[in-house]
Amino acid sequence: AVEVRCRAAAFLAGSATLSAKLMGCDPDPDGLRGGLAMLEVLDRAPIRGARYQRWKQLAVSLVPAVRQAALKLLPKHPEIPAPEWALKKALASRQPGTVAAAAEVLAAYPGRASGKKPEAQPGEPASSGAPQSGGEAQRRAPEAASPDPAVIQALVGAQKTLPADATEARVALLDAAASLELLSLKPALEEACRSPYPVLRQHAERGLSLLGDARKSCNFFVPPDRGPEELNRLLLSPVRLDLETDAGPLSLSLDPELAPVAVARVVSLVEDHFFDGLSFHRVVPGFIVQFGDPDGDGYGGAGKPPLRCETSPIEFDALSLGLALSGRDTGSSQLFVTLGPFPHLDGDYPILGRAYGDWNRIAQGDVIRRVKIRR
């Protein structure tokens, strides 16, 4: 109901941020739906004066998805003055999605690190329609700029504090370092060039090329000293998970024959009550229901090393359970349930089992109250 009200209020408000319907659509003054609706209205006119003050509040929102949406308005609104303060604070955040949003702005428009205005309006990033754990900003040619030293320091710091499975945020930081031509971050690019994860190597090679090392190849990598810890607790038979949710009881059947390591990871997380209290953060009617992100913005994970892909020739049909990825070998804790057959997912995402119950009842934001294991 809150989402319906806020979407309608944003449509009716035009560019008027003081619309009574808009300001009262979300009972939570710091809520997700109200914040996103306000940003939609702010985007329709120059962000100056009182409108700028509202944007400033949303740019430091405690709701990750709202904060990230505010940051993503920066390239479209060059009239926003001195945005580097917001980018610096975002890079210092402990939320991988917020770090990624700021880094993606800097990668696409490095001039924003110094307050320089972008030269053109950006286009909207293309959507693949596939299960993702986040998004990539549209890439543009670097602009000449003298970055704020505080922004550079925040970029360096973010490299060191991200959790192990924050692959998208790491990729965004590598791209930002290359676009800003930060030689001080070249060691980070060289380290990523030797990473066992192909996504990081790909972006590192591109970044090193932009920094003048055009012949650098990142095909060689250093394998880890040991395999994933889940190899020590593989399951021998299927496991059922019973979910108590806002939409009623649902269940999942995990099949270790399809993806043994990923299934062991999920069962371990359930035993640690990781999923209890998390929301279904992404719902695309007729396509998927996605969950398993503590931050609720699609970028978060369990903080464990990324999982290698365990893809199989099994087809995705209605109520298949898959592992969400942001590139090869980037799985963590985010799972998705398909609401129909989708051949374009076949072979690209690991299948962990099947779902049971009426998953079409799930609305974005519904909460998983508790998950129980039935062996």
Side-chain angles (χ1 to χ4, degrees):
V2 173
E3 179 163 4
V4 171
R5 283 201 306 270
C6 287
R7 287 195 176 190
F11 176 80
L12 293 171
S15 60
T17 58
L18 292 177
S19 163
K21 288 184 173 63
L22 176 65
M23 299 185 72
C25 73
D26 194 333
D28 181 354
D30 300 315
L32 170 66
R33 300 301 168 196
L36 293 178
M38 179 63 73
L39 286 168
E40 184 179 343
V41 173
L42 285 171
D43 190 26
R44 293 177 182 148
I47 300 178
R48 300 190 181 98
R51 297 169 61 83
Y52 171 66
Q53 297 303 319
R54 290 189 182 86
W55 176 86
K56 281 184 65 176
Q57 294 175 350
L58 297 172
V60 293
S61 170
L62 297 178
V63 182
V66 172
R67 187 175 186 180
Q68 294 156 28
L71 293 170
K72 291 175 181 179
L73 290 185
L74 283 173
K76 300 175 67 177
H77 291 273
E79 72 278 4
I80 295 178
E84 55 271 20
W85 69 267
L87 295 170
K88 180 184 67 174
K89 289 179 70 70
L91 290 169
S93 167
R94 295 288 181 174
Q95 301 161 348
T98 301
V99 172
E104 287 172 354
V105 170
L106 292 172
Y109 295 93
R112 297 267 74 184
S114 61
K116 178 180 177 181
K117 298 180 180 180
E119 297 177 358
Q121 300 293 327
E124 292 295 328
S127 173
S128 64
Q132 303 169 3
S133 57
E136 278 196 73
Q138 183 177 0
R139 307 299 174 202
R140 292 173 55 89
E143 304 171 35
S146 297
D148 186 322
V151 174
I152 298 176
Q153 185 177 358
L155 268 172
V156 174
Q159 292 275 359
K160 302 175 182 178
T161 58
L162 285 174
D165 54 358
T167 306
E168 282 192 278
R170 292 185 185 280
V171 163
L173 289 172
L174 293 174
D175 291 345
S179 292
L180 289 166
E181 300 181 354
L182 298 180
L183 293 177
S184 59
L185 282 177
K186 189 174 181 181
L189 288 164
E190 291 174 339
E191 180 180 356
C193 187
R194 300 185 297 271
S195 169
Y197 299 103
V199 173
L200 294 179
R201 294 201 307 272
Q202 176 186 357
H203 286 263
E205 184 172 320
R206 182 189 307 169
L208 289 169
S209 177
L210 289 174
L211 291 180
D213 203 348
R215 296 185 179 181
K216 184 72 172 181
S217 174
C218 295
N219 290 328
F220 174 81
F221 66 93
V222 178
D225 295 334
R226 55 187 177 182
E229 61 181 23
E230 287 81 9
L231 289 175
N232 298 320
R233 50 173 181 266
L234 297 179
L235 284 78
L236 300 178
S237 58
V239 172
R240 173 169 170 164
L241 305 180
D242 291 331
L243 286 69
E244 298 178 15
T245 78
D246 287 348
L250 300 168
S251 63
L252 301 168
S253 177
L254 305 181
D255 188 347
E257 289 191 9
L258 299 178
V261 176
V263 167
R265 163 75 61 89
V266 172
V267 171
S268 174
L269 292 175
V270 172
E271 291 173 342
D272 292 338
H273 304 284
F274 172 81
F275 294 100
D276 296 358
L278 300 190
S279 66
F280 295 98
H281 66 269
R282 184 181 182 213
V283 177
V284 182
F287 180 36
I288 62 165
V289 174
Q290 192 163 325
F291 59 100
D293 175 13
D295 292 334
D297 58 9
Y299 288 86
K304 297 178 178 291
L307 294 169
R308 298 293 181 183
C309 285
E310 298 174 282
T311 52
S312 64
I314 307 299
E315 297 177 352
F316 278 91
D317 55 15
L319 299 184
S320 292
L321 174 65
L323 181 69
L325 306 173
S326 57
R328 188 74 182 173
D329 297 339
T330 59
S332 179
S333 61
Q334 291 192 41
L335 307 175
F336 65 91
V337 172
T338 52
L339 303 178
F342 296 100
H344 73 283
L345 303 180
D346 297 349
D348 286 339
Y349 294 85
I351 292 184
L352 279 60
R354 296 197 59 78
Y356 297 90
D358 189 1
W359 285 77
N360 286 288
R361 295 186 59 187
I362 297 291
Q364 188 164 317
D366 282 350
V367 173
I368 301 170
R369 300 172 185 173
R370 185 166 55 173
V371 183
K372 294 181 180 179
I373 299 176
R374 182 186 299 177
R375 298 187 184 275

